[in-house]
Amino acid sequence: MCYGFDGATELYKSLESTKNLGRRNFLRGALAMGAGAGLAVAGAGSAMAAPGGEPGHDLRGKPGKPRKGRKVPPGLISIQLYTLRSIMRGDGVDATFEALADYGYTKVELAGLYGRTPEAMRTYLDELGITPSSSHDGISNSPAALQAKIAGAVTLGQTYMNVPYLASSVADDWRLWADQMNAEAALAQQSGIKYGYHNHAHEFTTDLGGGLTPWEVFTSRLDPKLVHLEVDLYWAVTGGVGVGAADPVQFAIDVIRDAPQKVLEYHVKDRDADGGFADLGTGAIDFARIFDAHPVKLYAVENDQPDVTPLQTAEVGYNYLRNVRF
């Protein structure tokens, strides 16, 4: 999983609120709340699909393929803090952030605020030279909740906010969610926040009827002018394995290239030969091949199940992204 909130409860609330309000009413309510609150303009658990799939896929590039020598700029490297959840408690919160700063991270993707207010978190991270450039937040269950979410993102200095997880085998659920996300993104855009969606594998493998998948519903219904994509590369490759793609890495590249929405962010998460999670550079995914095909604005290290310790995963991930050439 890649989020730090009660997914099942939030999905239920989100679906019910969308059904009751409808896209137009939700947006009308959200905009009215925004005008009344004077929202600042920027500048001023639901179950996750299990890792796996068919083992033994060779996900590396062709032997001897020359690389162009490009590298990920350090200022574009982030980490999804879900990776570090087991040590982000009590005094471990500050110790973990300090370790990330020592490793070289200047950006993080938030998965909650660990008991702090947005103002307090911004003050603390400013002292460390870290910016919470993105976050994972469930779609909102009311216009007021949406306003609070956006206001917090503005206070924190975020560039992005992303919906981390949605799951249903009913096509109309995905259509309703897409409509609400368009509505939320329209308001977020007014405050300078880019609003996105983060995938897992089931968006590519769930049959909603007649072969229609959630990914097809979302990419046809999410407004490309409002909503971007944060592609989780582990799950995109795993989706390729799940649909029987001969080349799962190429499947992921095609997902990125074919989407009408802009792909602005990656979750860079490695996959071992048996389909499990792996620290960056120790698994089988040829990230250089993907980066070469489509560079992005933010590369977030992630491992849902760190190989040894969360901090080692963070350090290994940062060093991998600093040195990989594509």
Side-chain angles (χ1 to χ4, degrees), residues 13-294:
K13 289 179 180 177
S14 297
L15 181 56
E16 289 304 307
S17 68
T18 311
K19 286 179 178 176
N20 293 336
L21 290 171
R23 178 186 176 187
R24 292 180 181 176
N25 288 341
F26 186 96
L27 181 56
R28 186 180 301 116
L31 291 175
M33 287 288 293
L39 189 65
V41 175
S46 181
M48 179 188 71
E54 298 176 13
H57 279 278
D58 180 6
L59 306 178
R60 295 290 179 186
K62 295 179 180 179
K65 178 182 177 182
R67 299 302 185 192
K68 297 179 181 178
R70 289 184 294 174
K71 298 173 71 173
V72 177
L76 301 188
I77 298 173
S78 181
I79 185 167
Q80 167 44 248
L81 294 178
Y82 181 79
T83 300
L84 302 154
R85 65 196 178 280
S86 65
I87 57 174
M88 295 289 277
R89 300 187 182 98
D91 294 341
V93 174
D94 286 4
T96 301
F97 278 126
E98 290 164 11
L100 293 177
D102 288 342
Y103 296 152
Y105 285 97
T106 59
K107 291 182 171 62
V108 296
E109 182 172 62
L110 294 170
L113 295 177
Y114 311 99
R116 289 186 166 104
T117 65
E119 293 80 5
M121 181 64 81
R122 174 70 181 269
T123 298
Y124 174 68
L125 292 180
D126 279 350
E127 294 173 356
L128 295 177
I130 292 176
T131 299
S133 57
S134 55
S135 65
H136 273 189
D137 299 278
I139 56 178
S140 306
N141 56 35
S142 70
L146 172 60
Q147 287 293 326
K149 181 170 68 177
I150 295 173
V154 171
T155 297
L156 287 159
Q158 290 176 213
T159 301
Y160 309 100
M161 64 168 52
N162 302 300
V163 175
Y165 183 84
L166 294 167
S168 174
S169 59
V170 179
D172 279 347
D173 289 351
W174 292 95
R175 295 185 182 104
L176 286 167
W177 285 327
D179 290 347
Q180 182 172 341
M181 288 171 63
N182 286 334
E184 292 199 17
L187 188 60
Q189 190 179 76
Q190 293 183 14
S191 294
I193 304 295
K194 295 179 172 64
Y195 187 105
Y197 181 72
H198 165 275
N199 66 282
H200 286 74
H202 62 269
E203 289 92 342
F204 310 108
T205 60
T206 300
D207 187 347
L208 300 175
L212 182 68
T213 67
W215 193 253
E216 290 169 328
V217 173
F218 258 24
T219 54
S220 66
R221 201 169 182 100
L222 291 173
D223 187 340
K225 295 180 181 178
L226 297 172
V227 181
H228 71 275
L229 300 174
E230 177 183 57
V231 173
D232 187 304
L233 298 176
Y234 172 95
W235 290 117
V237 169
T238 299
V241 174
V243 301
D247 184 344
V249 169
Q250 188 60 48
F251 175 88
I253 292 171
D254 291 342
V255 160
I256 294 161
R257 285 178 167 170
D258 294 345
Q261 293 75 23
K262 294 179 181 177
V263 177
L264 299 180
E265 305 171 83
Y266 285 148
H267 270 196
V268 190
K269 179 172 19 179
D270 218 338
R271 185 181 194 274
D272 66 29
D274 295 324
F277 302 111
D279 284 349
L280 289 187
T282 69
I285 296 179
D286 186 353
F287 292 110
R289 181 178 165 199
I290 300 172
F291 298 170
D292 184 46
H294 185 87

